[in-house]
C-alpha cells in the first residue's frame, strides 16, 4: 500500500511542478512507481487520477501546442491546488483560527481540525487575542450540515426520512433554502415538493442518510421568509389565558404576549400554536399554574388529570 | 468528502498536508506533529519515512525533499512544490464561515475593530468558498451571559447571577465565584463557589438569566468536586419505571429514548426502566405527558403523582 501512496504523492508533485502538460508516456517514464505492461500502467494511472480527484485535486487535461495537435497531457494547476485566501494579516489569521476552534467537539469538528492545520501551514504567525474561545455546543452530525449547505447553494433536491409526531418515519423530498440554529438545534427551511409549501425540519429528527440529487435551476427561494421569526415567535392570534404564581413558571413567562398583575398571581396571555404543548406546559407546572381559557384546553387538562389519577391510584 | 476516504487515500492526504505544515513549523517535535494530525507517533514516523522517498522526477538527491530528524525534531528543506497548503474543501470552508459567525457573537459589541474585521473576512470568503448566506448559526448560549462569565473566570472576579432552577421552578439570586465551564452531555455547566450556600455548586449556563459583576477578588476555593453536587439534584440517581401507552416523538425526546428512533415501534405499549437525579423532575415529566405515560415504580412517587393529579383536579372543579 505504501508504494501506491508514494506514487500518488510523486504524481502530485510532478504534475504540480511542471510548467507544461506532461504526456502519459512522460509520466510513466519519469514518475516513480509505474511498472508492468502498458495496460497495467494505463489502469494504474486511471485509478490514480480518480483517487486524486476524490482528494479534491483537479488534474487538467490539455495539449502543449494546440496548433500541432500534440498528444494530450496532464498537469495540476497550482491556483486550484493551493490555498488562496488572499493577503492575511496576523490578526486575520488569529480570527480565522478562533473561528475554526469554535467547533471543537461540535458539529463541524473534523472539518474544523483540517482547516486549522491548513491555517497553521500558511506560515503567518497569529496574534495572541484575548478573546474567550468557547465551544458552540451545536452537535448533530456535521455531515448532514455539509450536504444540506451544498444543496442550498445549488438548489438541489434533498430527500430524507423524518420522524413524525407519532414516531413513524416518512420520506420527504424538499428543496432547502436556509439553514439556521435555534437554542442548540439545527433547522433547515425548505419547500416541500409534495405540496410546494414551506416546511421547517429539525436535523436531529432526520434518520438515516440525507440524499442530495439534481439541482433545480428554476427554483426561487421564498422572499418574505424570516427564519428567526418562524422559529422563535409563536405566530397566532388566538390566545390562551394562564394564571401563574409570582416568581414561578419562568418557561411560560417567556412565551407570554402580555402579562397583568393580579397580586400573588399574574395573568398571562399565551399565543396558541399547539394545544398539546400548552397542556403539557400547564401540567408540568402543577399548582403554580391555573389555565382559564380556552375552555377546550381546560377540558383537555381535566381529562388528562382524571386519566393520570385513574392510572396511578 | 474526506470522511469516507479509504485508509490509503487518507494517508496520501496526510502526506500532502504534512509538507506545508512542516515547512511552516520547522523543528517541530514528532509528538506535537502526531498530536496536531490526530495520529500516533508511530504513524507519523512511518509517514515521514514515506515522504522521504518522494520528490520530483529525477529522484537524484537534489530532487528529493530533505527531511531531518534530530532527536525527535523534524525539519524539511527543498519542499518548494508542496510548500503551500492545499485548497480548502467545501466542508472546511463551511466550518470557517460559520465559525466566524459564532465568534462574532462572542465578541463584545464594544470591540468594533474586531467586529468589522470579522465582517470583512466573511464577505471576502463567502463567494470564494461558495457558502450560501442563507446558512446561519447562532450560539446555543446567550452571549450576553457567556462572555462576561469567561472574563470573570479569567480575572478571578465574583459575579451575581439570577438563576432559574428548572425542577423546582424557582429563580434565585446568588453571589458566586465562577471557576470553570464544563461541557458535558451536550450542555455547558458552570462550576462555581456559591457565597450564599458557602459551598461549591454546579449551574447550567443556559439557565443563568442575568449576570452582573461584583468587584471582589476570589479567594482560593477548592475546585475539586463532582458534577452532580448541585442545588437542583440529589446525589444519587433514582431508578424508575414507566409504561408508555403509545410512543410518540415528544416522549422519546422528553425521556431521552433515542434508541427507539427508526425502530418503528408504532402503537406498541412498552415498559422502560430509566433513572434520573431528580424526583421532582420525574413527577413533573410524567404529569406533562398528559396520561401518555404511567409511572410503575417507585411506589411512593406513584402515590405522589396521584395526589398531585387529585389536587389539580380539585382546583379545576
Amino acid at each position: 500500500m505504501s508504494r501506491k501512496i508514494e506514487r500518488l504523492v510523486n504524481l502530485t508533485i510532478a504534475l504540480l511542478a511542471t510548467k507544461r502538460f506532461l504526456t502519459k508516456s512522460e509520466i510513466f517514464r519519469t514518475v516513480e512507481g509505474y511498472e508492468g505492461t502498458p495496460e497495467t500502467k494505463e489502469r494504474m494511472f486511471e485509478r490514480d487520477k480518480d483517487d486524486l480527484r476524490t482528494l479534491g485535486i483537479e488534474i487538467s487535461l490539455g495539449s502543449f501546442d494546440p496548433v500541432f495537435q500534440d498528444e494530450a497531457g496532464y498537469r495540476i494547476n497550482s491556483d486550484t491546488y493551493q490555498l488562496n485566501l488572499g493577503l492575511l494579516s496576523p490578526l486575520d489569521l488569529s480570527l480565522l483560527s478562533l473561528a475554526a476552534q469554535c467547533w471543537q467537539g461540535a458539529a463541524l469538528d473534523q472539518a474544523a481540525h483540517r482547516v486549522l492545520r491548513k491555517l497553521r501551514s500558511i506560515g503567518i504567525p497569529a496574534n495572541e487575542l484575548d478573546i474567550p474561545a468557547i465551544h458552540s455546543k451545536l452537535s448533530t452530525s456535521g455531515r448532514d450540515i455539509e450536504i444540506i449547505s451544498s444543496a442550498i447553494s445549488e438548489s438541489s433536491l434533498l430527500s430524507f426520512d423524518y420522524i413524525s409526531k407519532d414516531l413513524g418515519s416518512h420520506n420527504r423530498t424538499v428543496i432547502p433554502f436556509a439553514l439556521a440554529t435555534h437554542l442548540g438545534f439545527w433547522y433547515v427551511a425548505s419547500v416541500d415538493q409534495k405540496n410546494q409549501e414551506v416546511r421547517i425540519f429539525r436535523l436531529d429528527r432526520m434518520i438515516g442518510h440525507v440524499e442530495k440529487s439534481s439541482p433545480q435551476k428554476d427554483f426561487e427561494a421564498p422572499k418574505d421568509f424570516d427564519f428567526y421569526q418562524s422559529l422563535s415567535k409563536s405566530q397566532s392570534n388566538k390566545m390562551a389565558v394562564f394564571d401563574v404564581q409570582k416568581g414561578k413558571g419562568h418557561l411560560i413567562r417567556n412565551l407570554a404576549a402580555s402579562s397583568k398583575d393580579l397580586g400573588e398571581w399574574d395573568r398571562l396571555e399565551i399565543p396558541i400554536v399547539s394545544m398539546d404543548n400548552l397542556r403539557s406546559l400547564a401540567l408540568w407546572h402543577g399548582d403554580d399554574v391555573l389555565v382559564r381559557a380556552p375552555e377546550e384546553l381546560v377540558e383537555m387538562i381535566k381529562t388528562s388529570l382524571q386519566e393520570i389519577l385513574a392510572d396511578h391510584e | 468528502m474526506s470522511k469516507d476516504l479509504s485508509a490509503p487515500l487518507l494517508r496520501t492526504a496526510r502526506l500532502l498536508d504534512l509538507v506545508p505544515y512542516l515547512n511552516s513549523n520547522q523543528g517541530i517535535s514528532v509528538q506535537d506533529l502526531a498530536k496536531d494530525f490526530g495520529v500516533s507517533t508511530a504513524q507519523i514516523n512511518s509517514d515521514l519515512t514515506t515522504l522521504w522517498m518522494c520528490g520530483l522526477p529525477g529522484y537524484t538527491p537534489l530532487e528529493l525533499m530533505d527531511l531531518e530528524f534530530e532527536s525527535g525534531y523534524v525539519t524539511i528543506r527543498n519542499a518548494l512544490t508542496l510548500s503551500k497548503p492545499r485548497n480548502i474543501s467545501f466542508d472546511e470552508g463551511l466550518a470557517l464561515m460559520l465559525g466566524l459567525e459564532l465568534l462574532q457573537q462572542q465578541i463584545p459589541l464594544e470591540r468594533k475593530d474586531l467586529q468589522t474585521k470579522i465582517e470583512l473576512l466573511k464577505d471576502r470568503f463567502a463567494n470564494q468558498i461558495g457558502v450560501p448566506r442563507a446558512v446561519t448559526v447562532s450560539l446555543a448560549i446567550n452571549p450576553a451571559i457567556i462572555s462576561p462569565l469567561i472574563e470573570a473566570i479569567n480575572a478571578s472576579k465574583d459575579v451575581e447571577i439570577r438563576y432559574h432552577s428548572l425542577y423546582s421552578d424557582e429563580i434565585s439570586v446568588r453571589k458566586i465565584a465562577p471557576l470553570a465551564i464544563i461541557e458535558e452531555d451536550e450542555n455547558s455547566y458552570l462550576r462555581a463557589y456559591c457565597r450564599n450556600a458557602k459551598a461549591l455548586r454546579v449551574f447550567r449556563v443556559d439557565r443563568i438569566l442575568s449576570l452582573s459583576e461584583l468587584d471582589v477578588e476570589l479567594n482560593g476555593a477548592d475546585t475539586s468536586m463532582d458534577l452532580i453536587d448541585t442545588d437542583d439534584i440529589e446525589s444519587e440517581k433514582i431508578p424508575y419505571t414507566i409504561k408508555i401507552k403509545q410512543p410518540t416523538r415528544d416522549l422519546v425526546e422528553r425521556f431521552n429514548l433515542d434508541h427507539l428512533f427508526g425502530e418503528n415501534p408504532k402503537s406498541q405499549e412498552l415498559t422502560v426502566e430509566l433513572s434520573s437525579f431528580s424526583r421532582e423532575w420525574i413527577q413533573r415529566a410524567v404529569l406533562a405527558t398528559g396520561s401518555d405515560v404511567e409511572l410503575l415504580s417507585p411506589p411512593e412517587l406513584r402515590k405522589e403523582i396521584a395526589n398531585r393529579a387529585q389536587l389539580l383536579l380539585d382546583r379545576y372543579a
Side-chain angles (χ1 to χ4, degrees):
Chain A
M1 253 327 141
S2 149
R3 286 196 64 78
K4 179 198 169 74
I5 293 160
E6 247 172 73
R7 193 176 68 234
L8 284 173
V9 174
N10 282 328
L11 180 64
T12 309
I13 295 176
L15 293 181
L16 204 51
T18 179
K19 299 241 157 29
R20 58 179 182 84
F21 292 98
L22 290 182
T23 65
K24 255 186 236 173
S25 47
E26 280 176 304
I27 291 170
F28 294 160
R29 208 168 52 240
T30 58
V31 177
E32 185 138 309
Y34 289 101
E35 283 151 10
T37 63
E39 293 77 44
T40 320
K41 289 184 194 169
E42 194 80 28
R43 270 204 309 276
M44 265 183 180
F45 183 60
E46 287 307 314
R47 255 203 314 267
D48 288 352
K49 274 197 307 183
D50 285 345
D51 282 345
L52 289 184
R53 195 162 298 130
T54 312
L55 289 179
I57 300 170
E58 279 307 318
I59 298 173
S60 47
L61 181 72
S63 66
F64 177 56
D65 187 343
V67 181
F68 289 96
Q69 299 206 321
D70 289 348
E71 189 191 340
Y74 303 86
R75 59 174 294 201
I76 296 169
N77 189 338
S78 62
D79 287 346
T80 59
Y81 178 87
Q82 284 170 358
L83 177 69
N84 184 10
L85 296 178
L87 268 182
L88 291 177
S89 68
L91 176 62
D92 290 336
L93 205 74
S94 318
L95 289 170
L96 289 172
S97 304
L98 280 173
Q101 283 165 26
C102 285
W103 293 110
Q104 249 168 47
L108 299 169
D109 184 60
Q110 292 231 343
H113 261 101
R114 275 182 271 126
V115 83
L116 208 53
R117 282 198 293 269
K118 287 178 180 175
L119 291 173
R120 284 194 199 132
S121 303
I122 298 178
I124 303 172
N127 270 358
E128 286 291 321
L129 279 179
D130 55 349
I131 302 170
I134 68 145
H135 307 167
S136 61
K137 303 315 298 167
L138 294 163
S139 37
T140 294
S141 148
R143 194 189 165 77
D144 291 346
I145 297 161
E146 183 198 326
I147 293 174
I148 294 168
S149 302
S150 77
I152 292 172
S153 65
E154 302 161 354
S155 304
S156 294
L157 288 172
L158 275 185
S159 76
F160 49 86
D161 288 331
Y162 196 72
I163 300 278
S164 57
K165 271 186 166 270
D166 63 0
L167 267 194
S169 82
H170 299 279
N171 189 264
R172 305 283 196 145
T173 301
V174 304
I175 301 178
F177 60 85
L179 181 69
T181 56
H182 184 62
L183 302 175
F185 292 108
W186 290 90
Y187 296 86
V188 60
S190 62
V191 176
D192 196 324
Q193 292 306 287
K194 209 154 79 190
N195 47 23
Q196 296 300 318
E197 282 175 18
V198 172
R199 287 278 179 275
I200 295 175
F201 298 97
R202 220 170 89 175
L203 264 59
D204 61 322
R205 289 176 178 162
M206 296 175 177
I207 50 168
H209 279 293
V210 176
E211 301 282 349
K212 187 179 77 161
S213 54
S214 50
Q216 307 293 302
K217 285 211 178 64
D218 48 359
F219 174 76
E220 268 184 50
K223 284 200 178 61
D224 48 359
F225 180 78
D226 185 331
F227 216 148
Y228 181 73
Q229 283 284 330
S230 343
L231 287 176
S232 60
K233 297 274 176 296
S234 327
Q235 281 154 341
S236 171
N237 296 323
K238 281 194 238 148
M239 295 286 171
V241 180
F242 278 48
D243 283 354
V244 179
Q245 197 144 60
K246 279 248 154 55
K248 295 285 187 176
H250 186 74
L251 294 176
I252 302 175
R253 289 170 193 276
N254 278 347
L255 299 173
S258 75
S259 164
K260 202 170 113 199
D261 192 342
L262 301 180
E264 276 180 42
W265 295 70
D266 290 315
R267 180 155 292 175
L268 308 178
E269 281 192 310
I270 319 285
I272 301 175
V273 180
S274 147
M275 293 287 253
D276 284 341
N277 287 352
L278 288 182
R279 177 189 59 178
S280 206
L281 204 58
L283 290 170
W284 166 275
H285 285 90
D287 58 359
D288 292 325
V289 163
L290 196 64
V291 178
R292 298 287 186 183
E295 192 51 38
E296 188 192 345
L297 179 59
V298 176
E299 284 309 314
M300 280 168 68
I301 292 172
K302 279 157 81 171
T303 310
S304 289
L305 286 169
Q306 276 152 3
E307 285 172 9
I308 292 170
L309 189 59
D311 280 344
H312 292 86
E313 256 176 348
Chain B
M1 47 132 216
S2 30
K3 264 155 253 163
D4 296 333
L5 290 183
S6 63
L9 282 193
L10 264 179
R11 193 156 168 233
T12 308
R14 192 166 58 240
L15 291 185
L16 293 173
D17 292 339
L18 262 171
V19 179
Y21 201 82
L22 285 170
N23 206 46
S24 296
N25 298 278
Q26 301 279 4
I28 190 172
S29 73
V30 175
Q31 276 84 357
D32 285 347
L33 206 52
K35 203 177 91 209
D36 293 350
F37 278 80
V39 293
S40 67
T41 52
Q43 182 65 62
I44 279 291
N45 277 322
S46 146
D47 286 352
L48 292 172
T49 314
T50 309
L51 258 188
W52 213 343
M53 310 305 295
C54 298
L56 268 177
Y59 306 102
T60 62
L62 269 179
E63 313 288 353
L64 290 174
M65 282 178 275
D66 278 335
L67 281 165
E68 275 179 46
F69 303 81
E70 213 184 284
S71 44
Y73 296 90
V74 195
T75 50
I76 193 167
R77 268 177 258 289
N78 211 8
L80 217 55
T81 321
L82 291 181
S83 62
K84 291 255 182 68
R86 288 197 295 143
N87 216 341
I88 49 180
S89 58
F90 183 80
D91 57 337
E92 293 166 0
L94 190 65
L96 214 48
M97 284 293 298
L98 296 182
L100 281 171
E101 215 169 293
L102 287 174
L103 186 63
Q104 200 170 16
Q105 296 163 41
Q106 292 164 48
I107 291 176
L109 283 172
E110 307 90 82
R111 291 300 300 269
K112 282 222 173 57
D113 54 331
L114 295 179
Q115 291 282 355
T116 336
K117 201 86 193 163
I118 293 178
E119 205 46 53
L120 285 173
L121 282 172
K122 271 162 65 185
D123 281 346
R124 207 160 121 195
F125 299 140
N127 290 331
Q128 199 173 352
I129 297 163
V131 175
R133 276 290 188 164
V135 177
T136 58
V137 65
S138 52
L139 286 175
I141 311 165
N142 185 354
I145 302 289
I146 194 76
S147 58
L149 192 55
I150 293 172
E151 275 172 39
I153 292 172
N154 291 338
S156 303
K157 285 269 168 65
D158 273 19
V159 290
E160 188 173 86
I161 56 168
R162 271 175 66 241
Y163 185 70
H164 180 222
S165 303
L166 185 68
Y167 306 153
S168 58
D169 190 20
E170 260 159 13
I171 293 173
S172 56
V173 176
R174 297 138 184 269
K175 290 186 173 56
I176 58 165
L179 300 170
I181 290 176
I182 316 147
E183 314 284 343
E184 201 170 297
D185 302 338
E186 317 224 329
N187 284 309
S188 296
Y189 296 88
L190 169 69
R191 177 182 290 175
Y193 182 80
C194 180
R195 303 266 180 220
N196 301 62
K198 295 202 169 36
L200 286 158
R201 287 282 181 267
V202 172
F203 304 96
R204 273 266 299 257
V205 175
D206 59 347
R207 296 198 188 126
I208 300 176
L209 304 175
S210 65
L211 175 149
S212 55
E213 273 179 58
L214 297 171
D215 222 4
V216 185
E217 294 266 334
L218 148 73
N219 39 28
D222 178 17
T223 58
S224 59
M225 64 169 300
D226 279 342
L227 252 189
I228 48 169
D229 189 11
T230 79
D231 267 11
D232 260 3
I233 53 189
E234 334 234 338
S235 54
E236 266 178 52
K237 278 201 165 186
I238 306 145
Y240 67 101
T241 313
I242 51 172
K243 185 167 86 187
I244 297 174
K245 297 180 188 168
Q246 165 88 47
T248 64
R249 191 177 68 193
D250 283 350
L251 288 183
V252 166
E253 289 174 356
R254 187 183 292 280
F255 291 96
N256 262 326
L257 307 169
D258 285 358
H259 60 278
L260 290 185
F261 262 18
E263 274 190 13
N264 206 15
K266 254 189 161 176
S267 64
Q268 267 198 9
E269 204 178 84
L270 74 157
T271 305
V272 214
E273 286 175 29
L274 299 162
S275 64
S276 163
F277 280 117
S278 166
R279 285 163 189 282
E280 186 62 35
W281 184 85
I282 300 171
Q283 293 179 51
R284 285 181 189 262
V286 170
L287 278 166
T289 66
S291 85
D292 283 349
V293 156
E294 179 187 340
L295 183 86
L296 299 178
S297 72
E300 70 274 16
L301 277 187
R302 222 180 117 80
K303 198 159 169 249
E304 180 61 25
I305 286 172
N307 287 345
R308 281 198 194 192
Q310 184 62 62
L311 182 104
L312 290 174
L313 265 179
D314 293 346
R315 295 178 63 221
Y316 279 104

